[in-house]
Amino acid sequence: MTAHRKLHLNAFIMESGHHEGAWRLPGSDPHATVDVAHFQNLARIAERGKLDSLFLADSPSLWGSVGRRPAAVLEPTILLTALATVTEHIGLIATMSTTYNEPFNLARRFASLDHVSRGRAGWNIVTTADLAAARNFNLEVLPNHSDRYARAAEFVDVALKLWDGWDEDAIVGDKEHGVWASDDRVHAADHVGEHFRVAGPLNVSRSPQGRPLLVQAGSSEDGKDFAARYAEAVFTAQQTLADLQAFYADVKARAVGFGRDPDTIKILPGIVPAIGSTEAEAKELEAELDRLINPVYAVRQLEEALRLRPGDLALDRPLPADLPTEDEIEGAKSRYTLIVELARRENLTVRQLIGRLGGGRGHWTFAGTPEQVADVIQHRFSNGAADGFNIMAPVLPRGLEDFVDHVVPILQRRGLFRTEYEGANLRDNYGLAPVRSQRLLQGAAS
Amino acid sequence: MTAHRKLHLNAFIMESGHHEGAWRLPGSDPHATVDVAHFQNLARIAERGKLDSLFLADSPSLWGSVGRRPAAVLEPTILLTALATVTEHIGLIATMSTTYNEPFNLARRFASLDHVSRGRAGWNIVTTADLAAARNFNLEVLPNHSDRYARAAEFVDVALKLWDGWDEDAIVGDKEHGVWASDDRVHAADHVGEHFRVAGPLNVSRSPQGRPLLVQAGSSEDGKDFAARYAEAVFTAQQTLADLQAFYADVKARAVGFGRDPDTIKILPGIVPAIGSTEAEAKELEAELDRLINPVYAVRQLEEALRLRPGDLALDRPLPADLPTEDEIEGAKSRYTLIVELARRENLTVRQLIGRLGGGRGHWTFAGTPEQVADVIQHRFSNGAADGFNIMAPVLPRGLEDFVDHVVPILQRRGLFRTEYEGANLRDNYGLAPVRSQRLLQGAAS
């Protein structure tokens, strides 16, 4: 950690905003969720603000109720490709599941996105916790948590072999002798494991970054170990400074345990900033959005998240006392615990809890002026809680514009954030070294 | 067939051209195969020529030897997304395998491409015949031909259910009452079959075309039945007018047998046109390219295609007499037969056969002036052999530019090809009716 340590800021983008009521605002387009022009506009705004990357969440399933909020989601690597063509520097991080893909297909898509974007691809590795996804892929029950993580670890190992199969100097392009690539610089994967048999080589040559940036977002015990072993950036949902400090120290220590430099794994919590020119205006925006939550849908979803039956929750009462423990949950363990702890810590009724979750689905929400938003970001950044933030604007594009035009300049004046992009690719944005091919590394060492 | 029947022309694009020697020409870039700018240039040229669509072949495996010719291939739906953003009218047809994908993921990718391109997506449905692909997906042997086609049929059925799961009017966007989409206009797939269990609904709303254009390219008995049942465009590799006429009549008759209007299935053979301002110049281009074939790689590949051992073929002798029959081949059956019949019909040596195959991998090659190319296209189009052609320029971008700038104007003057795009999407280019949702069709009928 040097004096010049800088924040890393991502724009977590979606349709009309992270607050579930945002699509009901007068200026919001209900079709924005499948409108590439909407997302291209967001990408340009984020790049104007010199943000590190764009981030897209994902699950291969229809999430929640189609009544509640825009539920259609373009496939992330396709959408990010469309955003790559209108930007030059900003990273492009797509969530993709290790449970419902095959390593060859996934490795190829990220290598392709990295080529098309000239080195800006990132992969947010998830194991996908929802039953609805399992039911789209020939299963009747959700695979259990530890099985999903075991498959994920082998999946990433296979993908790394495939990406490293082409050396930097594999394409010789020898027109005179008619040799396009050198056979001994393109390597089979020859992977035989418990979950996968993959021969390789990949049919995409080495991409500008060598492979995508590896990102991870699970915060369970398995998730933290996985992050510590593989991830270069970690997204997390934590509410309090103390929770974040504990998470931050834990993941960095685990990374050291895997023999890694802790600076090579960036911890980036989510923040949902409601920005106003005065504090009162920011709070009024937040209240306006909360009024736009349709409680019928929200209660149903909360019951599902808590493994309750329809009708188990009452709007103006607290959560029931006899909820399952995290160990009994096969789904999104850490999100489950976050919801229950938030409700109990702040003694919230179901209606109040829905308001808090509707803003950012469990992420930290904060309403204030640009100066106040910059202050809380700086405070957590400077107190061992974060290396940066995933900016989850409650309303899009407005909330991202407000952040870029009013908060970013403050962070820049304080010397906390870049004023120009440092290099050509996503690894440069994150201050990470290039990924060399194993053959060349071994050659250099011998 | 009306007096106004028009040709349909696609640009089958790849790296430096379809001729395997093309990458060795002085003007060719060995890295074109992963350079999005190269492909965007091709897309703009094809759209300038008012061509119906761009077509990308694909297999999820490294094809042939990396020495022989550029072997890296960007994932087709990613590449076509990048081309969608720089074009407005031209169709975007990606090959994708039913054997090595899951229906939910594939359906979602094409729905996403159709949204991003505003209605220009097409899916070339293949079962993938190469063993190298099987070995990238946990298998040691190639699944047999009829099993692959049985899976393909169920796969397409699932995909059709997923695409039709969102009615045209599903998104109501009722801001006042807080209802984004109508629950009773979004339908589960609830598919339970021999190969797949897929609950749905898809998490992408109905795309501009309702679903991608369905394209097929296998010419075996199974392949022709499959095409007749599902395909709206059929790509085929046939050498002679008589072969094409037989294929054309056969597929159209099979389509009628499935209760379809034969005009709704377009037969589009490949043509590899070597264009010169004189016939001699065209023949010299062809000869120059043939001289750039490296016979070491080409013989090895031909031996693999014919299921022979290394060293079984001699460059200046004909093919051996005792080759397997098509029935004994589990791979690309019709391509196998085409190669053997071409060699025997024209009494070619291995060297000569390699020259013919190197130009277009079994497709019909023709060298001539723009007028001569227009003549042969018109002749086959007017004699029950084709509804149009898949243009496989031997050298790219030059060969596509020559076709667009010199052949297309002749076809336009003869009234055989459009001078402006007819409508907004790919179905309009092919003169096909819109795809309505089943619920609305049933409502209209009742």
Side-chain angles (χ1 to χ4, degrees):
Chain A
M1 211 175 296
T2 71
H4 303 293
R5 182 169 168 256
K6 288 276 201 298
L7 277 163
H8 298 285
L9 299 173
N10 297 324
F12 181 168
I13 57 173
M14 56 191 307
E15 19 88 9
S16 304
H18 284 269
H19 195 290
E20 70 172 85
W23 75 270
R24 296 177 67 184
L25 290 171
S28 295
D29 174 8
H31 297 275
T33 189
V34 290
D35 179 5
V36 68
H38 167 73
F39 287 95
Q40 289 178 329
N41 180 41
L42 298 179
R44 290 189 180 103
I45 294 166
E47 188 163 86
R48 187 174 88 213
K50 317 292 180 198
L51 268 49
D52 291 69
S53 60
L54 302 169
F55 172 68
L56 290 174
D58 199 59
S59 176
S61 64
L62 189 62
W63 185 82
S65 163
V66 296
R68 185 178 187 180
R69 68 182 297 172
V73 191
L74 297 176
E75 196 281 328
T77 61
I78 296 229
L79 178 52
L80 289 181
T81 298
L83 305 188
T85 63
V86 297
T87 53
E88 280 180 47
H89 294 283
I90 196 160
L92 307 159
I93 301 176
T95 299
M96 199 168 293
S97 173
T98 54
T99 306
Y100 305 115
N101 282 286
E102 286 290 327
F104 191 93
N105 287 338
L106 181 142
R108 190 177 177 208
R109 279 155 71 182
F110 279 101
S112 298
L113 177 60
D114 205 47
H115 275 294
V116 169
S117 66
R118 304 197 188 282
R120 294 185 282 141
W123 173 26
N124 180 37
I125 308 162
V126 297
T127 69
T128 309
D130 61 310
L131 174 61
R135 298 186 66 235
N136 290 330
F137 294 88
N138 312 314
L139 302 174
E140 287 302 304
V141 295
L142 182 65
N144 78 49
H145 197 268
S146 62
D147 287 352
R148 293 203 314 273
Y149 271 94
R151 178 181 161 110
E154 189 181 333
F155 192 116
V156 174
D157 289 341
V158 177
L160 290 171
K161 287 182 197 174
L162 289 169
W163 288 318
D164 198 52
W166 289 70
D167 297 340
E168 281 93 333
D169 55 0
I171 299 175
V172 293
D174 179 350
K175 291 183 180 181
E176 187 186 341
H177 300 96
V179 179
W180 179 69
S182 175
D183 273 315
D184 60 0
R185 297 177 191 171
V186 180
H187 316 286
D190 284 338
H191 178 88
V192 179
E194 192 182 338
H195 301 83
F196 304 109
R197 294 177 74 92
V198 180
L202 198 62
N203 59 346
V204 178
S205 54
R206 192 177 195 85
S207 71
Q209 291 188 115
R211 59 168 167 77
L213 185 86
L214 300 181
V215 180
Q216 202 271 352
S219 298
S220 66
E221 292 301 306
D222 286 335
K224 285 185 283 194
D225 266 341
F226 191 90
R229 186 167 155 201
Y230 294 107
E232 294 161 312
V234 178
F235 297 157
T236 184
Q238 310 278 343
Q239 292 277 338
T240 68
L241 177 65
D243 284 349
L244 256 185
Q245 287 169 326
F247 178 86
Y248 187 95
D250 185 2
V251 172
K252 296 266 178 174
R254 289 180 201 231
V256 172
F258 281 106
R260 296 180 59 189
D261 173 352
D263 283 349
T264 63
I265 177 167
K266 310 294 182 193
I267 313 287
L268 308 170
I271 177 174
V272 185
I275 302 169
S277 56
T278 64
E279 190 176 329
E281 191 183 302
K283 301 267 189 217
E284 173 46 32
L285 169 63
E286 197 171 45
E288 181 190 5
L289 286 166
D290 284 352
R291 284 192 297 272
L292 292 175
I293 294 176
N294 185 332
V296 176
Y297 296 120
V299 169
R300 197 186 302 158
Q301 170 116 17
L302 185 58
E303 285 165 344
E304 283 171 19
L306 299 177
R307 308 316 191 253
L308 299 173
R309 284 162 309 181
D312 278 356
L313 293 179
L315 261 178
D316 293 305
R317 294 179 56 89
L319 294 185
D322 56 337
L323 292 170
T325 66
E326 180 174 309
D327 285 347
E328 297 171 79
I329 298 290
E330 276 304 335
K333 284 176 179 288
S334 58
R335 187 60 54 91
Y336 171 82
T337 298
L338 181 148
I339 294 171
V340 174
E341 287 185 355
L342 170 64
R344 295 198 170 141
R345 185 175 61 245
E346 305 191 15
N347 203 20
L348 302 174
T349 64
V350 167
R351 191 188 298 275
Q352 290 168 325
L353 179 60
I354 282 169
R356 293 291 292 275
L357 296 176
R361 304 186 309 286
H363 281 271
W364 176 41
T365 60
F366 181 84
T369 63
E371 201 79 30
Q372 288 173 316
V373 172
D375 287 348
V376 294
I377 284 177
Q378 180 167 7
H379 184 250
R380 293 195 170 191
F381 176 66
S382 304
N383 284 280
D387 296 311
F389 288 88
N390 218 4
I391 308 303
M392 302 168 64
V395 182
L396 288 165
R398 191 175 101 196
L400 184 60
E401 284 178 311
D402 286 344
F403 188 87
V404 160
D405 294 338
H406 302 296
V407 181
V408 164
I410 297 171
L411 297 170
Q412 288 170 329
R413 279 199 299 276
R414 295 181 188 176
L416 295 169
F417 193 60
R418 71 171 67 80
T419 52
E420 287 303 331
Y421 284 104
E422 296 86 355
N425 64 42
L426 174 53
R427 299 190 71 80
D428 293 331
N429 295 354
Y430 278 106
L432 297 167
V435 176
R436 304 283 310 278
S437 76
Q438 286 301 308
R439 184 185 66 86
L440 293 186
L441 284 176
Q442 284 156 9
S446 67
Chain B
M1 208 175 294
T2 71
H4 303 292
R5 182 170 168 256
K6 289 277 202 297
L7 276 164
H8 298 285
L9 299 173
N10 298 322
F12 181 168
I13 57 175
M14 56 191 305
E15 19 87 10
S16 305
H18 285 269
H19 196 290
E20 71 171 87
W23 75 270
R24 296 177 67 185
L25 290 170
S28 296
D29 173 8
H31 297 274
T33 189
V34 290
D35 179 6
V36 68
H38 167 73
F39 287 95
Q40 289 178 329
N41 181 40
L42 298 179
R44 290 189 179 103
I45 294 165
E47 189 163 83
R48 188 174 89 213
K50 317 293 181 198
L51 299 200
D52 291 68
S53 60
L54 302 169
F55 172 69
L56 292 173
D58 199 59
S59 175
S61 64
L62 189 62
W63 185 84
S65 163
V66 297
R68 186 178 185 180
R69 66 181 299 172
V73 190
L74 297 176
E75 196 281 328
T77 61
I78 297 227
L79 178 52
L80 289 181
T81 299
L83 305 189
T85 64
V86 298
T87 53
E88 280 179 47
H89 295 282
I90 197 160
L92 307 159
I93 301 176
T95 298
M96 199 168 294
S97 173
T98 53
T99 306
Y100 305 115
N101 283 286
E102 287 290 326
F104 191 93
N105 287 338
L106 182 140
R108 189 176 178 209
R109 293 173 72 69
F110 279 101
S112 299
L113 177 60
D114 205 45
H115 275 294
V116 169
S117 65
R118 306 197 187 280
R120 295 186 282 141
W123 173 27
N124 180 37
I125 308 162
V126 298
T127 68
T128 309
D130 61 309
L131 174 62
R135 297 186 67 234
N136 290 329
F137 294 87
N138 313 313
L139 302 173
E140 287 301 304
V141 294
L142 181 65
N144 78 50
H145 197 267
S146 61
D147 288 352
R148 293 203 314 274
Y149 271 94
R151 177 182 162 108
E154 189 182 333
F155 192 116
V156 174
D157 289 340
V158 177
L160 290 171
K161 287 182 198 176
L162 289 168
W163 287 317
D164 198 50
W166 291 69
D167 296 341
E168 282 94 334
D169 55 0
I171 299 175
V172 293
D174 179 351
K175 292 183 180 180
E176 187 186 342
H177 300 98
V179 179
W180 179 68
S182 174
D183 273 315
D184 60 359
R185 298 177 192 171
V186 180
H187 316 285
D190 284 338
H191 178 90
V192 178
E194 193 182 338
H195 302 83
F196 304 109
R197 294 176 75 93
V198 180
L202 197 63
N203 59 346
V204 179
S205 54
R206 193 177 194 86
S207 71
Q209 291 189 114
R211 59 168 169 78
L213 185 87
L214 300 180
V215 180
Q216 201 271 353
S219 298
S220 66
E221 292 301 308
D222 286 334
K224 284 185 284 194
D225 266 341
F226 191 90
R229 187 167 154 202
Y230 295 106
E232 294 161 311
V234 178
F235 297 157
T236 183
Q238 310 280 344
Q239 292 278 335
T240 68
L241 177 65
D243 284 349
L244 256 184
Q245 287 170 325
F247 178 85
Y248 187 95
D250 185 2
V251 173
K252 297 266 178 171
R254 290 181 200 230
V256 172
F258 281 104
R260 297 180 58 191
D261 172 352
D263 282 351
T264 63
I265 177 166
K266 310 294 182 191
I267 313 287
L268 308 170
I271 176 173
V272 185
I275 302 169
S277 55
T278 63
E279 189 176 329
E281 193 184 302
K283 300 266 187 216
E284 174 45 32
L285 168 63
E286 195 170 47
E288 181 190 5
L289 287 165
D290 284 351
R291 285 191 297 270
L292 293 174
I293 295 176
N294 184 331
V296 176
Y297 295 120
V299 169
R300 197 186 303 158
Q301 169 116 18
L302 185 58
E303 285 165 345
E304 283 171 17
L306 299 176
R307 309 318 191 250
L308 300 172
R309 285 163 309 182
D312 277 357
L313 293 179
L315 261 178
D316 294 304
R317 295 180 56 90
L319 294 185
D322 56 337
L323 292 171
T325 65
E326 181 174 308
D327 286 346
E328 296 172 80
I329 299 291
E330 275 305 333
K333 284 174 178 288
S334 58
R335 186 61 53 91
Y336 171 82
T337 298
L338 181 150
I339 293 172
V340 174
E341 285 185 356
L342 170 65
R344 293 194 173 146
R345 185 175 61 244
E346 304 192 16
N347 205 17
L348 303 174
T349 64
V350 166
R351 188 188 300 275
Q352 291 168 325
L353 179 60
I354 283 168
R356 292 292 292 275
L357 297 175
R361 303 185 311 286
H363 281 270
W364 175 42
T365 61
F366 181 84
T369 63
E371 201 78 30
Q372 289 173 316
V373 171
D375 287 348
V376 294
I377 283 176
Q378 179 168 7
H379 184 250
R380 294 194 171 194
F381 175 66
S382 305
N383 284 279
D387 296 310
F389 289 88
N390 219 4
I391 309 302
M392 304 168 63
V395 182
L396 288 166
R398 192 175 101 198
L400 184 60
E401 284 179 309
D402 287 343
F403 187 86
V404 160
D405 294 339
H406 302 296
V407 181
V408 165
I410 297 169
L411 296 171
Q412 288 171 328
R413 280 199 299 275
R414 295 181 188 177
L416 294 169
F417 193 59
R418 72 171 65 81
T419 52
E420 287 303 333
Y421 285 103
E422 296 86 355
N425 63 43
L426 174 52
R427 299 189 72 78
D428 293 332
N429 294 354
Y430 278 106
L432 296 167
V435 176
R436 305 284 309 279
S437 76
Q438 286 301 308
R439 184 185 66 86
L440 294 187
L441 284 177
Q442 284 155 11
S446 66

